[in-house]
């Protein structure tokens, strides 16, 4: 019941983590569509931060996210003004968005829809914070891939926004429901269950799957049957994407030294050691 949530000014912050590694295997345009869908969530902009981890350190990804930010100055207000549900631009302008565009058709809407194609500054637009991060990679050290990227994003976000909740998205799994953040908060802010709740998992839905598919590439058996059943007996599996997690479930409040758990203290010490090693000028 989202109507029972507190006012927007009282909602907790949410950090969105998106990880990418190789622009040839994970097309940059798809990644930016995921970023834009996250920025367009129906959530207070000042409480929403979107972080992109680029393990490939690709120049094209950095350039693309700057361009995506320019587009977001038009796209995000457009979505919020008209209550657009298909907040991924690629999906909105494809056949998947045909029905919604028909519903929204009107003189003013059509005029603004045409101008979406133009990237321009709009200083009055309030956008979520958007952060690009690229980790150092050393050939002599094992690379921890997505898990390492998420750990790095936890540390970076702890300094920059320090939201108590985080949404993790695969770079090709865009948000197709702008209300998902508030839906998740209905559970996280429920005093009856919040003390035993660590995350809220949203199921994945796959599009463009061949009609002749015989391997259940949509994973219907997992998300519509198995996960529902497991949730009914006390908790479902964390799928690695599409989940709103309470950071305190990983470690106690990061800014409170008295309540800091051993796990977080260890991670903090390791990060300090890595920083000192990097600053010492060692190279490989």
């Amino acid at each position: 019941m989202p109507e029972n949530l507190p006012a927007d000014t009282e909602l907790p912050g949410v950090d969105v983590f998106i990880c990418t590694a190789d622009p040839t295997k994970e097309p940059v345009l798809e990644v930016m569509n995921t970023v834009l869908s996250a920025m367009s969530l129906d959530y207070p902009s000042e409480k929403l931060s979107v972080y992109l981890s680029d393990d490939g350190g690709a120049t094209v990804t950095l350039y693309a996210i700057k361009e995506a930010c320019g587009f977001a100055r038009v796209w995000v207000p457009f979505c919020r003004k008209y209550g657009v549900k298909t907040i991924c631009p690629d999906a909105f302008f494809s056949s998947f968005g045909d029905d919604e565009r028909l519903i929204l058709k009107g003189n003013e809407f059509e005029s603004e829809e045409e101008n979406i194609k133009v990237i321009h500054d709009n200083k009055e637009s309030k956008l979520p914070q958007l952060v690009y991060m690229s980790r150092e990679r050393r050939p002599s050290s094992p690379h921890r891939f997505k898990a390492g990227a998420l750990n790095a994003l936890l540390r970076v976000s702890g300094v920059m926004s320090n939201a108590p909740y985080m949404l993790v998205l695969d770079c090709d799994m865009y948000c197709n429901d702008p209300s998902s953040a508030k839906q998740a908060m209905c559970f996280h802010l429920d005093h009856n269950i919040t003390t035993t709740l660590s995350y809220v998992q949203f199921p994945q839905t796959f599009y463009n799957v061949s009609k002749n598919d015989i391997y259940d590439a949509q994973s219907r058996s997992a998300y519509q049957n198995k996960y529902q059943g497991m949730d009914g007996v006390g908790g479902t599996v964390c799928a690695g994407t599409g989940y709103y997690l309470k950071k305190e479930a990983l470690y106690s409040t990061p800014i409170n030294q008295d309540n800091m758990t051993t796990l977080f203290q260890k991670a903090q010490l390791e990060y300090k050691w890595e920083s000192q090693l990097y600053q010492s000028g060692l190279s490989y």
Side-chain angles (χ1 to χ4, degrees):
M1 297 183 180
E3 63 272 14
N4 293 335
L5 288 173
D8 284 357
T9 55
E10 299 177 8
L11 286 172
V14 175
D15 292 333
V16 184
F17 295 163
I18 302 169
C19 300
T20 186
D22 188 342
T24 59
K25 296 180 180 179
E26 299 164 343
V28 175
L29 184 59
E30 291 185 7
V31 178
M32 292 308 116
N33 271 281
T34 300
V35 169
L36 286 165
S37 72
M39 295 180 71
S40 304
L41 286 169
D42 181 16
Y43 209 75
S45 295
E46 65 276 11
K47 301 293 184 71
L48 189 64
S49 297
V50 180
Y51 295 83
L52 176 66
S53 170
D54 175 21
D55 268 5
T59 304
V60 66
T61 304
L62 177 58
Y63 174 78
I65 197 170
K66 291 179 179 179
E67 291 297 307
C69 185
F71 182 76
R73 293 189 178 99
V74 180
W75 178 249
V76 174
F78 174 78
C79 289
R80 293 181 177 176
K81 179 177 180 179
Y82 293 102
V84 173
K85 301 299 182 185
T86 310
I87 53 178
C88 170
D90 185 46
F92 181 80
F93 292 110
S94 72
S95 58
F96 295 114
D98 286 348
D99 292 342
E100 184 170 14
R101 292 202 306 275
L102 285 173
I103 295 174
L104 294 173
K105 282 299 181 183
N107 293 332
E108 185 180 2
F109 172 82
E110 290 178 355
S111 174
E112 291 201 30
E113 184 184 21
E114 288 299 318
N115 294 326
I116 290 297
K117 301 172 185 176
V118 181
I119 296 176
H120 63 85
D121 285 334
N122 184 350
K123 296 181 180 179
E124 296 181 358
S125 297
K126 294 183 178 179
L127 298 178
Q129 178 176 238
L130 180 61
V131 180
Y132 170 89
M133 184 197 77
S134 181
R135 292 189 297 158
E136 179 190 19
R137 301 179 71 170
R138 301 176 182 176
S140 61
S141 302
H143 193 66
R144 295 185 175 87
F145 302 100
K146 183 178 178 180
L150 290 175
N151 281 329
L153 287 175
L154 274 173
R155 296 194 292 264
V156 171
S157 66
V159 174
M160 299 190 69
S161 54
N162 199 32
Y165 298 95
M166 69 185 199
L167 163 63
V168 176
L169 291 174
D170 283 348
C171 62
D172 59 350
M173 298 297 295
Y174 65 81
C175 301
N176 70 342
D177 188 339
S179 67
S180 65
K182 289 186 177 180
Q183 289 184 43
M185 289 306 120
C186 287
F187 293 93
H188 280 301
L189 301 182
D190 185 338
H191 297 296
N192 296 321
I193 62 174
T194 186
T195 56
T196 59
L197 180 67
S198 60
Y199 64 90
V200 175
Q201 174 70 61
F202 282 80
Q204 297 182 34
T205 302
F206 298 88
Y207 298 101
N208 295 329
V209 177
S210 171
K211 295 180 180 179
N212 299 320
D213 170 56
I214 62 174
Y215 301 105
D216 191 24
Q218 297 184 59
S219 300
R220 289 169 295 189
S221 61
Y223 292 106
Q224 296 181 17
N225 298 320
K226 296 178 182 178
Y227 277 37
Q228 299 284 354
M230 295 175 71
D231 186 51
V233 295
T236 187
V237 172
C238 183
T241 180
Y243 61 91
Y244 287 83
L245 185 141
K246 182 193 302 178
K247 289 185 181 178
E248 194 175 8
L250 298 178
Y251 46 72
S252 189
T253 310
I255 60 174
N256 190 333
Q257 296 290 335
D258 295 333
N259 295 331
M260 200 178 293
T261 63
T262 304
L263 178 63
F264 182 74
Q265 288 176 329
K266 181 181 178 182
Q268 190 181 49
L269 289 174
E270 289 179 353
Y271 176 60
K272 183 178 180 181
W273 177 82
E274 290 175 359
S275 299
Q276 291 175 342
L277 183 64
Y278 175 73
Q279 294 171 3
S280 68
L282 295 178
S283 60
Y284 297 88

